Amino acid sequence: LFEMESIDLTLAEEALGAIARKAIERKTGARGLRSIMETILLDTMFELPSMGSVEEVVVSADVVEGRAKPLQIHSRTAQESAG
């Protein structure tokens, strides 16, 4: 879905570990990774089509743990026209 919108999805190193721990805790292994990622990114996936200026979405460990929302990085041209 991110690729269809030409948006890069970046997972911080600590986010990868947090996602793996969640899969282990749930005893789902690799099959559960998709479900975990969908849960983390569900709101973002629905918001992105209406936000044409987003170039990249960054997921940190705080996002995986539910303490933060994914960081949305907007294109430079959108930032310049807004400011």
Side-chain angles (χ1 to χ4, degrees), residues 14-71:
E14 70 272 4
L16 293 174
I19 293 166
R21 281 190 297 281
K22 276 190 177 272
I24 292 167
E25 289 169 7
R26 294 179 181 181
K27 298 182 191 229
T28 58
R31 289 184 302 269
L33 295 175
R34 179 179 177 177
S35 172
I36 293 166
M37 290 298 296
E38 285 177 346
T39 301
I40 293 168
L41 295 169
L42 187 64
D43 291 338
T44 303
M45 288 189 294
F46 283 107
E47 293 168 0
L48 288 179
S50 64
M51 301 177 70
S53 65
V54 176
E55 281 188 339
E56 181 179 9
V57 173
V58 181
V59 176
S60 66
D62 286 337
V63 174
V64 176
E65 299 299 329
R67 296 187 296 258
K69 291 188 174 201
L71 175 64

